[in-house]
Amino acid sequence: MKIEDIKPAINHSVLMLYRVFAIVSLYAVLAGVLIFGLGSAFYAGSKTWVAPVILSQGDKETLDLTSKTLSTQNTIDELKLDIGKLENTAGEAQSHKAKLEKLLPAIDEAIAQEDQHKRETGPVLVSLDRQKNSDDTRTQGALIKLADVDATIDKELAAGLITKSDATQATMLLVKANGELTDSRIATTLLKDTIWEKTLPSTTYLDTLHKKTELESEIACLGIVIDSAQKQIATERNQATKLDQALKVAKQTPLWAAMQGARTNVALVPYENQAVANEGAPVYDCYLSFVVCRQVGTVKARFAGEQHATHPIFRSDLRGFLVQLELTDPDSAKSKTLFVGSKPLLF
Amino acid sequence: MLTFILWVLGLRLFLSLAKYAWSIVMRIGHPRLAGVKQDFSLEPTVAILLPCFNEGPDVYNSIRTILECDYPMDKFQVIATDDRSRDDSWEWLQKAAVDFPGRVVARRNAKNMGKSRTLIDASHVSSSDIILVVDSDCIFAKNTIRELVSCFSDPKMGIVGGTVGIRNPNTNPLTQVQTYVYFLAFDLWKTYENWTKSVTCVGGYLLAIRRHLFEQIEPKILARNWFGVEVTEGEDRYITHHALLLGYDTYVNTKARCWTNAPEKYPQFFSQQYRWRKSGARDLCMTYKLLWSHLGTVHPNGVYCSTIAPLTVLTFTLGIFIAPLFDPLFFLHPITLVISLAIGAILHLIISKRFPDQKISNPLAFGFFGFWWIINSFYLTVLSLLTFDFSDWGSRTRRQVKCLGQEL
């Protein structure tokens, strides 16, 4: 058999195969284009679709949130501990400051009383000192005169004019008078000391003033410590409050729910479709993306806060918020899109 | 895979830009680089083959302008053949034969035969030195024939073509877009191929070929088939390709101009583009089938233009299939439109300056061209690759598929 004889049969077979392949391919391309076009047009106009997302403890975002939550809680605890320490420090400082502040009037009063006493006794002592000096001078004059008497006694005793006992008695009186003069001079000197203390500032007085200044300085330092501690307490308390609020907000997010449980079904609602995403609204899942639909659950909760995602069909940036879904068929969460409120095509 | 495709696309884009930039340089700055030696004293006999199908009165106007060319009257003749038109084309041909006695031969096929066979049959009517194939709605400039034949001074020159302008550039956005397409495809692209005298497709709207070369290729044209199914379209590309394979030069003289009506309706435009794309796809298959024959015979630039350049379309088709999977809005990206408009602005400037009759009233139409180009690349390539077993008259009407040896 020649090749030319079987060539028509080969051609026919190849042509048949080619035509079958061509028809299938062309219809596939046509169907693909139509489906793509219809799908794009549908999702461009639909106001009920949402993009489901399954959250679980193992998700990167959930793990991130867990880590951040723990870190935040740790920070809050540290802040509270620090606030307690600062409050103790401030309280102790305030107590100490109060005690020191009570000392100041007593010191002032003592100084004032001392001043008053000095003012009162000082001039009197000066006057007495003058009088004493005068007395001492007169006494000394009298004793000078008695010096002749001492010599006279010895002579009179030797002359037998007086008895020995009289002489001794007279000598004793003379010695006693001298001793009294010396005592008087000592007293005068001591009086001068007293007058100096009463009329001029003493080192004790200055020491007291120095201590008073130190006390005032310590009180001022304590004031600064208290003020600084109170400011830090206010700052840290504010910080703790904010972190606490942030934690409260985080606890209202679906990721927190995912942290607590094994799996949480949520859906991103584009802002264009927010009107339908109310709590309790029915959720539909469809075959062939949006053709034959059945109810698979409801919207459980609506979360605040903007979320960004990629459009499941157009791959463009998408802005919206999350809702938590209560799904009777958990597999529906794996669909590319779900519909909220009503079936997209009424069947 | 995607990275590989992007690299290929990037490389092709670079090569295309380099090619068009070089073409612009040659076209504007150094026309001699893309020129050939012309001898205007050459006056060979020319048979102008004008196959006609459903063309109406346009065919008469076309014949009239051809006959007004400044070429010796006794050296050329119009052989107009009606391929069983369903309108009054045959009547217009007969009128032309009566109005221009001895200069127009009006023929009518016994049955619808398609353009290729019509041309071959018509070529047998004459024994001229040069055969000039034209479209039945083409309007000639007075110097068109002389410009064409003057390029045959080199015996190695096998085929010479001309450029085609649009008679209706501003009828609607579709014709505006085609003005750009025609300039790119029939002028700028050809300039690059002219550089090495290895034009891969001299358009059938204005194709002058040496008779002996035509007769040499004729059996191959008649034997063209796709697994037994007769191939009737793309004969211009096929003839040019075989001329190159036979060692001849091919060239497009941009000073030889004619004007044609661009399709004004989408179905016509779609059919035309589909026919062109299918012709290109068939040619690509043939190129790879006969790749070894090209080496050493065809200039490397011609081999590049035949083997690598057409892959751009296929690569882009693949890219267009894949891109929406990653970014469905890729083609609506503003940068796509901006690039499209930037290219359009450059082309608009060139066309406005060099071809005032082709000036577009709304240059923003090029944005539409970008959109059409996507659809064109996306669907027509696939359609043409999958309909090799189907032939028709392109933008005019359909005809039945006929297998070799099978009568209609």
Side-chain angles (χ1 to χ4, degrees):
Chain A
M1 187 179 283
K2 293 178 181 175
I3 188 81
E4 293 300 320
D5 295 335
I6 59 167
K7 199 171 180 181
I10 294 172
N11 281 346
H12 182 72
S13 303
V14 172
L15 210 56
M16 282 299 291
L17 285 172
Y18 172 76
R19 281 175 176 163
V20 169
F21 172 74
I23 287 168
V24 170
S25 303
L26 281 173
Y27 275 110
V29 170
L30 201 61
V33 170
L34 279 174
I35 288 169
F36 181 75
L38 281 174
S40 299
F42 172 80
Y43 281 103
S46 172
K47 295 291 177 194
T48 59
W49 70 269
V50 297
V53 181
I54 299 172
L55 300 175
S56 66
Q57 284 174 317
D59 289 342
K60 184 178 174 294
E61 289 81 7
T62 313
L63 290 173
D64 279 352
L65 182 69
T66 307
S67 167
K68 284 176 185 166
T69 306
L70 287 174
S71 170
T72 306
Q73 189 60 59
N74 195 32
T75 307
I76 291 171
D77 291 344
E78 281 177 2
L79 283 170
K80 284 181 177 172
L81 196 67
D82 204 31
I83 288 167
K85 283 180 185 171
L86 285 167
E87 280 175 342
N88 286 340
T89 305
E92 187 63 33
Q94 272 173 334
S95 167
H96 188 47
K97 186 186 167 201
K99 284 175 187 169
L100 292 178
E101 281 172 343
K102 277 181 189 171
L103 270 178
L104 271 179
I107 292 170
D108 286 340
E109 193 180 342
I111 291 170
Q113 282 175 352
E114 197 173 310
D115 284 346
Q116 180 65 29
H117 179 68
K118 280 180 179 178
R119 276 195 296 276
E120 286 171 6
T121 56
V124 174
L125 287 173
V126 169
S127 172
L128 286 173
D129 182 51
R130 265 191 233 109
Q131 193 177 339
K132 188 92 167 60
N133 279 330
S134 173
D135 289 346
D136 286 346
T137 306
R138 283 171 61 194
T139 304
Q140 193 175 8
L143 286 174
I144 290 168
K145 287 176 183 170
L146 284 175
D148 296 336
V149 174
D150 191 25
T152 305
I153 291 170
D154 290 336
K155 284 176 183 174
E156 285 178 355
L157 183 57
L161 294 173
I162 56 173
T163 65
K164 194 177 179 179
S165 171
D166 290 338
T168 303
Q169 197 172 359
T171 302
M172 283 295 291
L173 284 170
L174 197 62
V175 169
K176 189 180 176 186
N178 280 323
E180 281 175 355
L181 177 62
T182 302
D183 287 345
S184 178
R185 281 179 172 164
I186 290 168
T188 303
T189 305
L190 288 172
L191 183 61
K192 284 186 188 300
D193 281 350
T194 305
I195 290 166
W196 186 77
E197 280 176 3
K198 296 287 183 184
T199 55
L200 292 172
S202 66
T203 52
T204 309
Y205 177 75
L206 290 175
D207 195 40
T208 305
L209 284 180
H210 176 66
K211 282 183 179 170
K212 185 194 169 193
T213 307
E214 279 184 342
L215 193 62
E216 284 171 343
S217 173
E218 193 176 352
I219 289 168
C221 285
L222 283 170
I224 290 168
V225 168
I226 291 163
D227 189 48
S228 171
Q230 281 172 343
K231 279 180 183 169
Q232 199 171 343
I233 287 168
T235 305
E236 291 190 0
R237 195 165 277 157
N238 188 30
Q239 199 178 345
T241 307
K242 282 181 181 171
L243 287 172
D244 219 25
Q245 280 172 348
L247 212 55
K248 278 179 189 165
V249 171
K251 285 177 182 175
Q252 290 167 359
T253 63
L255 284 175
W256 182 270
M259 272 173 62
Q260 309 307 312
R263 169 177 156 151
T264 306
N265 295 319
V266 294
L268 184 100
V269 182
Y271 283 131
E272 306 87 82
N273 303 353
Q274 64 179 339
V276 296
N278 301 312
E279 284 184 26
V283 177
Y284 297 92
D285 189 10
C286 303
Y287 298 104
L288 299 175
S289 189
F290 56 86
V291 180
V292 182
C293 304
R294 66 194 195 286
Q295 186 173 349
V296 292
T298 53
V299 174
K300 187 179 176 186
R302 197 170 151 148
F303 296 110
E306 182 170 281
Q307 297 288 325
H308 294 255
T310 304
H311 196 294
I313 308 299
F314 299 137
R315 312 281 184 201
S316 55
D317 289 338
L318 193 64
R319 291 171 60 201
F321 59 89
L322 290 175
V323 290
Q324 189 169 3
L325 303 177
E326 186 90 76
L327 294 179
T328 52
D329 180 4
D331 282 345
S332 293
K334 296 172 186 169
S335 297
K336 196 173 263 187
T337 54
L338 294 174
F339 296 88
V340 174
S342 60
K343 294 177 182 176
L345 297 177
L346 305 177
F347 57 86
Chain B
M1 181 65 179
L2 182 69
T3 311
F4 173 72
I5 290 170
L6 287 174
W7 271 104
V8 172
L9 284 175
L11 182 65
R12 280 301 306 135
L13 187 66
F14 172 75
L15 289 173
S16 291
L17 288 175
K19 184 171 73 180
Y20 278 113
W22 181 231
S23 296
I24 290 171
V25 168
M26 285 193 290
R27 191 84 174 86
I28 297 171
H30 304 280
R32 296 184 74 176
L33 282 173
V36 293
K37 184 188 170 189
Q38 285 180 271
D39 182 357
F40 288 98
S41 65
L42 276 179
E43 288 182 347
T45 53
V46 180
I48 299 170
L49 308 187
L50 191 147
C52 167
F53 188 72
N54 289 351
E55 208 60 63
D58 280 345
V59 70
Y60 182 85
N61 290 328
S62 178
I63 292 170
R64 185 176 51 76
T65 61
I66 291 169
L67 295 175
E68 285 172 0
C69 281
D70 59 353
Y71 199 72
M73 288 173 61
D74 58 330
K75 293 286 179 78
F76 76 105
Q77 184 183 34
V78 176
I79 301 166
T81 309
D82 176 46
D83 194 21
R84 286 283 159 183
S85 297
R86 290 165 193 161
D87 62 0
D88 57 353
S89 298
W90 173 233
E91 282 72 28
W92 285 105
L93 286 187
Q94 286 179 308
K95 178 175 166 48
V98 171
D99 290 352
F100 308 106
R103 302 191 65 196
V104 176
V105 176
R107 300 174 64 250
R108 194 178 201 196
N109 290 337
K111 57 179 188 260
N112 185 283
M113 296 169 71
K115 191 176 177 183
S116 300
R117 280 176 175 265
T118 301
L119 284 174
I120 288 168
D121 284 356
S123 72
H124 296 156
V125 173
S126 152
S127 59
S128 62
D129 303 320
I130 302 290
I131 290 171
L132 175 55
V133 179
V134 299
D135 271 354
S136 50
D137 63 340
C138 267
I139 299 296
F140 273 41
K142 284 196 181 302
N143 65 342
T144 304
I145 299 173
R146 191 168 286 283
E147 282 287 351
L148 287 172
V149 298
S150 68
C151 298
F152 283 105
S153 60
D154 183 353
K156 200 166 177 277
M157 184 60 71
I159 295 177
V160 177
T163 55
V164 61
I166 287 183
R167 290 165 65 185
N168 53 343
N170 287 305
T171 303
N172 59 34
L174 196 59
T175 61
Q176 290 175 332
V177 165
Q178 288 177 87
T179 308
Y180 292 115
V181 175
Y182 274 53
F183 175 70
L184 278 171
F186 301 128
D187 196 305
L188 215 50
W189 177 277
K190 304 300 180 197
T191 303
Y192 179 74
E193 296 181 336
N194 272 347
W195 180 35
T196 53
K197 298 174 196 62
S198 50
V199 177
T200 53
C201 176
V202 174
Y205 52 87
L206 201 62
L207 183 151
I209 180 171
R210 292 181 189 276
R211 172 172 289 278
H212 67 84
L213 178 59
F214 186 79
E215 287 172 351
Q216 213 174 335
I217 300 170
E218 185 185 310
K220 295 179 191 293
I221 300 171
L222 289 170
R224 278 208 302 165
N225 71 90
W226 170 259
F227 290 100
V229 178
E230 184 188 10
V231 176
T232 58
E233 87 285 335
E235 70 290 330
D236 48 0
R237 188 181 288 274
Y238 188 81
I239 291 169
T240 314
H241 201 147
H242 275 281
L244 286 169
L245 284 172
L246 289 168
Y248 284 92
D249 285 343
T250 56
Y251 181 73
V252 166
N253 183 355
T254 52
K255 285 177 285 202
R257 284 180 66 77
C258 69
W259 290 263
T260 186
N261 278 317
E264 294 176 2
K265 293 178 179 173
Y266 288 95
Q268 285 178 321
F269 181 55
F270 184 85
S271 296
Q272 182 205 55
Q273 293 293 310
Y274 161 62
R275 189 160 49 92
W276 289 2
R277 183 56 52 85
K278 191 157 68 169
S279 155
R282 278 192 205 283
D283 190 68
L284 187 63
C285 293
M286 189 181 84
T287 304
Y288 286 116
K289 188 180 171 185
L290 304 173
L291 191 58
W292 286 111
S293 308
H294 289 70
L295 303 177
T297 308
V298 182
H299 190 282
N301 185 41
V303 177
Y304 164 76
C305 292
S306 299
T307 55
I308 307 296
L311 288 179
T312 307
V313 178
L314 293 176
T315 317
F316 270 108
T317 301
L318 193 58
I320 287 167
F321 269 110
I322 291 172
L325 298 177
F326 293 91
D327 182 4
L329 302 178
F330 176 78
F331 295 107
L332 297 177
H333 201 278
I335 201 163
T336 312
L337 189 63
V338 169
I339 290 173
S340 172
L341 290 175
I343 296 170
I346 295 169
L347 288 177
H348 182 71
L349 283 173
I350 297 172
I351 292 172
S352 302
K353 191 173 178 184
R354 298 191 70 84
F355 308 109
D357 63 303
Q358 302 287 290
K359 187 176 179 181
I360 300 301
S361 58
N362 177 21
L364 290 176
F366 200 80
F368 175 73
F369 170 68
F371 180 66
W372 163 252
W373 184 85
I374 292 168
I375 296 171
N376 186 21
S377 303
F378 176 68
Y379 196 67
L380 281 185
T381 305
V382 178
L383 187 66
S384 59
L385 284 170
L386 296 174
T387 52
F388 279 164
D389 59 326
F390 179 77
S391 298
D392 69 11
W393 253 91
S395 51
R396 292 171 181 82
T397 186
R398 286 184 170 185
R399 64 187 287 268
Q400 275 186 270
V401 176
K402 191 189 74 164
C403 291
L404 281 181
Q406 176 191 340
E407 295 300 322
L408 279 171

